[in-house]
Coordinates of all heavy atoms in Angstrom, one line a residue:
R248 N 104.7 -6.0 -76.0 CA 104.5 -5.8 -74.5 C 103.7 -7.0 -73.9 O 104.0 -7.5 -72.8 CB 103.8 -4.5 -74.3 CG 104.6 -3.3 -74.6 CD 104.0 -2.0 -74.0 NE 102.8 -1.6 -74.7 CZ 102.7 -0.9 -75.8 NH1 103.8 -0.5 -76.4 NH2 101.5 -0.6 -76.2
Y249 N 102.7 -7.5 -74.7 CA 101.9 -8.6 -74.2 C 102.8 -9.8 -74.0 O 102.7 -10.6 -73.0 CB 100.7 -8.9 -75.1 CG 99.7 -9.9 -74.5 CD1 98.8 -9.5 -73.6 CD2 99.8 -11.2 -74.9 CE1 97.9 -10.4 -73.1 CE2 98.9 -12.1 -74.3 CZ 98.0 -11.7 -73.4 OH 97.1 -12.6 -72.9
F250 N 103.6 -10.1 -75.0 CA 104.5 -11.2 -74.9 C 105.5 -11.1 -73.7 O 105.7 -12.1 -73.0 CB 105.4 -11.4 -76.2 CG 106.4 -12.4 -76.1 CD1 106.1 -13.8 -76.2 CD2 107.7 -12.1 -75.9 CE1 107.0 -14.8 -76.1 CE2 108.7 -13.1 -75.8 CZ 108.3 -14.4 -75.9
D251 N 106.0 -9.9 -73.5 CA 106.9 -9.7 -72.3 C 106.2 -10.0 -71.0 O 106.8 -10.6 -70.1 CB 107.4 -8.2 -72.3 CG 108.3 -7.9 -73.4 OD1 108.9 -8.8 -74.0 OD2 108.5 -6.7 -73.7
V252 N 104.9 -9.7 -70.9 CA 104.2 -10.0 -69.7 C 103.7 -11.4 -69.5 O 103.9 -12.0 -68.5 CB 102.9 -9.0 -69.6 CG1 102.0 -9.4 -68.4 CG2 103.4 -7.6 -69.4
S253 N 103.2 -11.9 -70.6 CA 102.6 -13.3 -70.6 C 103.6 -14.4 -70.8 O 103.4 -15.5 -70.3 CB 101.5 -13.3 -71.6 OG 102.0 -13.3 -73.0
G254 N 104.6 -14.2 -71.6 CA 105.5 -15.2 -72.0 C 104.9 -16.2 -73.0 O 105.5 -17.2 -73.4
R255 N 103.7 -15.9 -73.5 CA 103.0 -16.8 -74.5 C 103.3 -16.3 -75.9 O 103.1 -15.1 -76.2 CB 101.5 -16.8 -74.2 CG 101.1 -17.3 -72.8 CD 99.7 -17.7 -72.8 NE 99.2 -18.1 -71.4 CZ 99.5 -19.2 -70.8 NH1 100.2 -20.1 -71.5 NH2 99.1 -19.5 -69.6
R256 N 103.7 -17.3 -76.7 CA 104.0 -17.0 -78.1 C 102.7 -16.4 -78.8 O 101.6 -17.0 -78.6 CB 104.4 -18.2 -78.8 CG 104.8 -18.0 -80.3 CD 105.2 -19.3 -81.0 NE 104.0 -20.2 -81.1 CZ 104.1 -21.5 -81.5 NH1 105.3 -22.0 -81.7 NH2 103.0 -22.2 -81.6
L257 N 102.8 -15.3 -79.5 CA 101.7 -14.8 -80.2 C 101.5 -15.4 -81.6 O 102.4 -16.0 -82.2 CB 101.9 -13.3 -80.4 CG 101.4 -12.4 -79.2 CD1 102.5 -12.4 -78.1 CD2 101.1 -11.0 -79.7
T258 N 100.2 -15.4 -82.0 CA 99.9 -15.9 -83.3 C 99.5 -14.6 -84.1 O 98.7 -13.8 -83.7 CB 98.7 -16.9 -83.3 OG1 99.1 -18.0 -82.6 CG2 98.3 -17.3 -84.7
Y259 N 100.0 -14.6 -85.4 CA 99.5 -13.5 -86.3 C 98.7 -14.2 -87.4 O 99.2 -15.1 -88.0 CB 100.8 -12.7 -86.8 CG 101.4 -11.9 -85.8 CD1 102.5 -12.4 -85.1 CD2 100.9 -10.6 -85.4 CE1 103.1 -11.6 -84.1 CE2 101.5 -9.9 -84.5 CZ 102.6 -10.4 -83.8 OH 103.2 -9.6 -82.8
E260 N 97.5 -13.6 -87.6 CA 96.7 -14.2 -88.6 C 96.8 -13.4 -89.9 O 96.9 -12.1 -89.9 CB 95.2 -14.1 -88.2 CG 95.0 -14.8 -86.8 CD 94.7 -16.3 -86.9 OE1 94.6 -16.8 -88.0 OE2 94.7 -16.9 -85.8
Y261 N 96.7 -14.1 -91.0 CA 96.9 -13.4 -92.3 C 95.9 -14.1 -93.3 O 96.2 -15.2 -93.8 CB 98.3 -13.4 -92.8 CG 98.7 -12.5 -93.9 CD1 99.4 -11.3 -93.7 CD2 98.5 -12.9 -95.2 CE1 99.7 -10.5 -94.7 CE2 98.9 -12.0 -96.3 CZ 99.5 -10.8 -96.0 OH 99.9 -10.0 -97.0
V262 N 94.8 -13.4 -93.6 CA 93.9 -14.0 -94.7 C 94.5 -13.6 -96.0 O 94.8 -12.5 -96.4 CB 92.5 -13.4 -94.5 CG1 91.6 -13.7 -95.7 CG2 91.8 -13.9 -93.3
L263 N 94.7 -14.7 -96.8 CA 95.4 -14.5 -98.1 C 94.3 -14.3 -99.2 O 93.5 -15.2 -99.5 CB 96.2 -15.8 -98.4 CG 97.4 -15.7 -99.3 CD1 98.4 -14.7 -98.7 CD2 98.1 -17.1 -99.5
L264 N 94.4 -13.2 -99.9 CA 93.5 -12.7 -100.9 C 94.1 -12.7 -102.2 O 95.2 -12.1 -102.4 CB 92.9 -11.4 -100.5 CG 92.2 -11.3 -99.1 CD1 92.2 -9.8 -98.6 CD2 90.8 -11.8 -99.2
H265 N 93.5 -13.3 -103.2 CA 94.0 -13.4 -104.6 C 94.3 -12.0 -105.1 O 93.4 -11.1 -105.2 CB 93.0 -14.1 -105.4 CG 93.3 -14.1 -106.9 ND1 94.4 -14.8 -107.4 CD2 92.7 -13.6 -108.0 CE1 94.5 -14.6 -108.7 NE2 93.5 -13.9 -109.1
D266 N 95.5 -11.8 -105.5 CA 96.0 -10.6 -106.2 C 95.9 -9.3 -105.3 O 96.1 -8.2 -105.9 CB 95.2 -10.3 -107.5 CG 95.8 -11.1 -108.7 OD1 96.9 -11.7 -108.5 OD2 95.1 -11.2 -109.7
L267 N 95.7 -9.4 -104.0 CA 95.6 -8.3 -103.2 C 96.8 -8.2 -102.2 O 97.5 -7.2 -102.0 CB 94.3 -8.2 -102.4 CG 93.1 -7.7 -103.2 CD1 91.9 -7.8 -102.3 CD2 93.4 -6.2 -103.6
N268 N 97.0 -9.3 -101.4 CA 98.1 -9.4 -100.4 C 98.9 -10.7 -100.5 O 99.5 -11.0 -99.5 CB 97.4 -9.2 -99.0 CG 96.5 -10.4 -98.6 OD1 96.3 -11.3 -99.4 ND2 96.0 -10.3 -97.4
D269 N 98.9 -11.3 -101.7 CA 99.5 -12.6 -101.8 C 100.7 -12.7 -102.7 O 101.2 -13.7 -103.1 CB 98.4 -13.6 -102.3 CG 98.0 -13.3 -103.7 OD1 98.2 -12.1 -104.2 OD2 97.4 -14.2 -104.4
Q270 N 101.2 -11.5 -103.0 CA 102.4 -11.4 -103.9 C 103.7 -11.6 -103.2 O 103.8 -11.6 -101.9 CB 102.4 -10.1 -104.6 CG 101.1 -9.8 -105.4 CD 100.9 -10.9 -106.5 OE1 101.7 -11.1 -107.4 NE2 99.8 -11.6 -106.3
D271 N 104.7 -11.9 -103.9 CA 106.1 -12.2 -103.4 C 106.5 -11.0 -102.5 O 107.1 -11.2 -101.4 CB 107.1 -12.4 -104.4 CG 106.9 -13.8 -105.2 OD1 106.0 -14.5 -104.7 OD2 107.6 -14.1 -106.1
E272 N 106.3 -9.8 -103.0 CA 106.8 -8.6 -102.2 C 106.0 -8.5 -100.8 O 106.6 -8.1 -99.8 CB 106.6 -7.3 -103.0 CG 105.2 -7.0 -103.4 CD 104.8 -7.5 -104.8 OE1 105.4 -8.5 -105.2 OE2 104.0 -6.9 -105.4
H273 N 104.8 -9.0 -100.8 CA 104.0 -8.9 -99.6 C 104.6 -10.0 -98.6 O 104.8 -9.7 -97.4 CB 102.6 -9.3 -99.8 CG 101.9 -8.3 -100.7 ND1 101.0 -8.6 -101.7 CD2 101.9 -6.9 -100.7 CE1 100.6 -7.6 -102.3 NE2 101.1 -6.5 -101.7
A274 N 105.0 -11.1 -99.1 CA 105.6 -12.2 -98.2 C 106.9 -11.7 -97.7 O 107.2 -11.9 -96.5 CB 105.7 -13.5 -99.0
R275 N 107.7 -11.1 -98.5 CA 109.0 -10.6 -98.0 C 108.9 -9.5 -97.0 O 109.6 -9.4 -96.0 CB 109.9 -10.1 -99.2 CG 110.4 -11.2 -100.1 CD 111.4 -10.7 -101.1 NE 110.8 -9.9 -102.2 CZ 110.4 -10.4 -103.3 NH1 110.5 -11.7 -103.6 NH2 109.8 -9.7 -104.3
E276 N 107.9 -8.6 -97.2 CA 107.7 -7.5 -96.3 C 107.1 -8.0 -95.0 O 107.5 -7.5 -93.9 CB 106.8 -6.4 -96.9 CG 106.7 -5.1 -96.1 CD 105.9 -4.0 -96.8 OE1 105.5 -4.3 -98.0 OE2 105.8 -3.0 -96.2

Side-chain angles (χ1 to χ4, degrees):
R248 292 192 295 271
Y249 189 83
F250 174 76
D251 290 341
V252 170
S253 69
R255 298 198 188 282
R256 183 182 70 190
L257 275 78
T258 298
Y259 291 95
E260 307 274 351
Y261 194 99
V262 170
L263 206 61
L264 300 157
H265 175 65
D266 276 351
L267 278 177
N268 64 356
D269 64 344
Q270 300 303 298
D271 290 356
E272 60 266 28
H273 298 135
R275 287 190 287 267
E276 193 173 357

